[in-house]
């Protein structure tokens, strides 16, 4: 089947996109036009304008965020330019010892009232709300007006060809030419307008970054406290108890050395075995804090050693040998360890492939297993914690895990290696 010329496809897709831009842009003016029509229908009296005006304001406020989101979605779909929303996120409400709920602004008697009050306050104090309202007024006279050229040309062509006069038919021909020539380009004004007026301001981006770092600091503090408690528990339950028993055995052997040398020798032998076991436990504990191979030989060799100790068949592929800052190496190493543990316990995988590469901005670690899939990042889970640890370094964790597998996890951290 013969394919249509490329300019025909470009004109058709451009016309559809231009109509979409016009439709989204004119939602705000449409609300006000409906309000004016309602006022006229009521008789255009001296005071009858108040209700339509109020409803138009409410409609504009209600539509501002959906319109902005639709613009961002269209621009991202058509051009690949992702414009962050920059909206402030409501934090979890907290129940105080008094029984009241604190939402960051006020105390409320119930959790429902706290959340409702919080949403209203966040919405009214969020600079992004006023940015969206501004965009509602700017979009129709910028992107909407330019994108309206092809539809207006088609309308002129239809009207012109429907009349028998030669002059009107010439107008119809001109409208058709304008529509066809402008269709591939008229919709493109949506991208610069959206980027200019919907992108968060530097102050808003900085405020969001401060909030993000504050939340990350709180998460890290909680994680560090939990890690310290784990270390204390391991020392108390294993190494410390064994060392105490070792001291008692040596004290008993010292007393029995003169009266019962054989029994003393047996106690010393058991104490020596206990000392070796305690040393092994301490080494495992230190390995859990910071593996020596990671400090001495770097991330690649540490991951290879981790793969050798794994009960799964694990293949490690590293196209480069690199040394990173110790905190980054530690985060990636324990990230791989977390993913391997998940593959064993939850995915029931038999094979894991680990790939470590460099791209233009940093290091990328891919972990793929042949398990049953269906992995999801749940709040408070290990993967959520891993994502938080990587976010401290502006890193990301992306997981693709369809039901039935395979599961692919990608950790990327922007950094410079040596």
């Amino acid at each position: 089947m013969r394919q249509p010329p490329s300019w025909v496809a470009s004109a058709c897709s451009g016309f559809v996109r231009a109509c979409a831009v016009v439709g989204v842009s004119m939602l705000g003016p449409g609300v006000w036009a409906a309000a004016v029509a309602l006022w006229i229908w009521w008789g255009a009296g001296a005071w009858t304008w108040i209700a339509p005006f109020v409803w138009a304001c409410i409609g504009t406020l209600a539509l501002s965020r959906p319109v902005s989101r639709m613009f961002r979605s269209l621009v991202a779909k058509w051009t690949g330019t992702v414009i962050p929303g920059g909206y402030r996120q409501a934090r979890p409400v907290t129940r105080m010892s008094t029984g009241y709920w604190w939402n960051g602004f006020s105390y409320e008697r119930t959790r429902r009232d706290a959340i409702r009050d919080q949403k209203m306050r966040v919405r009214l104090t969020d600079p992004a709300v006023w940015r969206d309202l501004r965009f509602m007024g700017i979009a129709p006279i910028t992107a909407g007006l330019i994108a309206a050229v092809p539809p207006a040309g088609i309308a002129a062509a239809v009207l012109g060809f429907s009349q028998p006069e030669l002059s009107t038919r010439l107008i119809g021909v001109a409208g058709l030419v304008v529509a066809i020539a402008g269709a591939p380009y008229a919709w493109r004004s949506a991208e610069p307008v959206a980027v200019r007026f919907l992108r968060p301001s530097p102050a808003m981006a900085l405020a969001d970054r401060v909030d993000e770092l504050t939340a990350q600091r709180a998460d890290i503090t909680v994680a560090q406290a939990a890690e310290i408690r784990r270390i204390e528990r391991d020392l108390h339950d294993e190494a410390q108890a064994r060392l105490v028993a070792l001291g008692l055995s040596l004290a008993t052997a010292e007393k029995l050395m003169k009266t019962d040398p054989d029994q003393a020798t047996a106690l010393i032998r058991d104490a020596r075995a206990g000392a070796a076991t305690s040393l092994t436990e301490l080494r495992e504990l230190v390995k859990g804090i910071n593996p020596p191979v990671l400090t001495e030989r770097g991330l690649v060799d540490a991951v290879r050693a981790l793969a050798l100790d794994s009960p799964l068949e694990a293949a490690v592929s590293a196209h480069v040998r690199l040394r990173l800052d110790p905190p980054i190496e530690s985060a990636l190493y324990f990230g791989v360890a977390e993913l391997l543990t998940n593959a064993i316990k939850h995915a029931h995988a038999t094979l894991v492939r680990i790939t470590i590469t460099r791209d233009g901005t940093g290091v990328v670690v891919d972990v793929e297993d042949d398990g049953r899939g269906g992995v999801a990042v749940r709040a408070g889970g290990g993967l959520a914690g891993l994502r938080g640890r990587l976010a401290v370094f502006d890193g990301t964790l992306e997981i693709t895990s369809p039901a039935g597998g395979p599961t692919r996890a990608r950790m990327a951290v922007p950094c410079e290696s040596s």
Side-chain angles (χ1 to χ4, degrees):
M1 182 176 179
R2 186 176 180 181
Q3 297 294 329
S6 59
W7 66 270
V8 174
S10 177
C12 292
S13 64
F15 181 79
V16 172
R17 293 179 179 183
C19 291
V21 173
V22 173
V24 175
S25 302
M26 296 303 171
L27 287 176
V31 171
W32 286 93
V36 172
L38 182 61
W39 175 58
I40 296 174
W41 181 73
W42 276 352
W47 298 102
T48 55
W49 62 270
I50 297 178
F53 176 79
V54 172
W55 284 109
C57 291
I58 295 175
T60 302
L61 180 62
L63 285 174
S64 60
R65 182 167 294 188
V67 167
S68 300
R69 285 178 171 171
M70 282 189 285
F71 247 91
R72 292 191 191 93
S73 177
L74 292 177
V75 170
K77 181 179 179 180
W78 294 340
T79 67
T81 301
V82 178
I83 305 173
Y87 299 107
R88 289 182 177 176
Q89 301 297 322
R91 297 184 178 180
V93 297
T94 305
R95 188 171 188 179
M96 311 303 291
S97 59
T98 58
Y100 283 82
W101 291 83
W102 171 251
N103 60 13
F105 301 96
S106 64
Y107 294 96
E108 302 293 337
R109 289 184 177 273
T110 64
R111 183 175 184 272
R112 180 180 179 182
D113 292 340
I115 294 176
R116 183 185 304 167
D117 178 76
Q118 182 191 57
K119 288 183 177 179
M120 181 186 68
R121 290 175 182 266
V122 169
R123 187 73 180 267
L124 292 178
T125 58
D126 190 353
V129 173
W130 310 110
R131 181 196 62 204
D132 291 347
L133 283 173
R134 181 188 63 177
F135 183 76
M136 286 280 288
I138 292 175
I141 60 176
T142 53
L145 190 61
I146 298 174
V149 172
I154 293 295
V158 172
L159 292 175
F161 290 136
S162 64
Q163 301 296 326
E165 292 83 2
L166 178 61
S167 58
T168 55
R169 289 182 176 272
L170 290 177
I171 293 175
V173 172
L176 184 61
V177 171
V178 170
I180 295 175
Y185 309 101
W187 64 270
R188 298 182 184 274
S189 60
E191 180 185 8
V193 172
V195 171
R196 172 63 180 83
F197 295 104
L198 286 181
R199 183 176 54 189
S201 66
M204 294 170 59
L206 180 60
D208 292 341
R209 182 58 175 164
V210 170
D211 293 340
E212 180 182 354
L213 292 177
T214 301
Q216 290 175 1
R217 183 182 63 183
D219 293 341
I220 291 174
T221 301
V222 173
Q224 287 178 342
E227 185 67 14
I228 290 174
R229 288 194 298 270
R230 182 189 70 82
I231 294 172
E232 291 176 346
R233 184 175 60 252
D234 291 345
L235 287 173
H236 182 272
D237 295 343
E238 297 179 1
Q240 180 178 337
R242 197 176 297 278
L243 290 174
V244 171
L246 175 61
L248 293 176
S249 297
L250 291 176
T252 303
E254 183 180 3
K255 293 179 180 179
L256 295 175
M257 187 64 69
K258 295 181 180 179
T259 59
D260 192 351
D262 294 336
Q263 183 66 23
T265 301
L267 289 173
I268 293 174
R269 188 182 304 111
D270 293 340
R272 183 175 60 186
T277 304
S278 298
L279 182 60
T280 301
E281 291 175 351
L282 288 174
R283 285 175 176 171
E284 291 295 326
L285 182 61
V286 172
K287 182 179 179 180
I289 300 173
N290 194 23
V293 66
L294 180 64
T295 304
E296 297 171 1
R297 305 183 62 178
L299 176 65
V300 174
D301 289 338
V303 170
R304 283 175 175 158
L306 185 65
L308 290 175
D309 293 337
S310 174
L312 298 177
E313 181 183 352
V316 180
S317 175
H319 302 290
V320 292
R321 298 188 65 87
L322 70 166
R323 291 307 305 265
L324 309 171
D325 292 337
I328 297 177
E329 286 189 333
S330 179
L332 291 174
Y333 173 83
F334 287 107
V336 173
E338 177 76 22
L339 295 172
L340 282 176
T341 301
N342 288 344
I344 297 171
K345 291 185 176 181
H346 306 297
H348 303 291
T350 59
L351 174 64
V352 176
R353 295 184 180 89
I354 304 170
T355 306
I356 304 174
T357 58
R358 283 293 310 274
D359 60 11
T361 58
V363 61
V364 177
V365 180
D366 292 303
V367 180
E368 179 180 352
D369 65 63
D370 62 350
R372 59 187 181 184
V375 175
V377 181
R378 292 182 293 271
L383 294 178
L386 172 58
R387 179 169 288 173
R389 290 194 299 270
L390 294 176
V392 175
F393 309 102
D394 289 331
T396 58
L397 172 65
E398 299 176 1
I399 296 180
T400 304
S401 182
T407 296
R408 299 181 180 90
R410 165 165 289 197
M411 297 180 290
V413 178
C415 59
E416 294 290 338
S417 65
S418 58

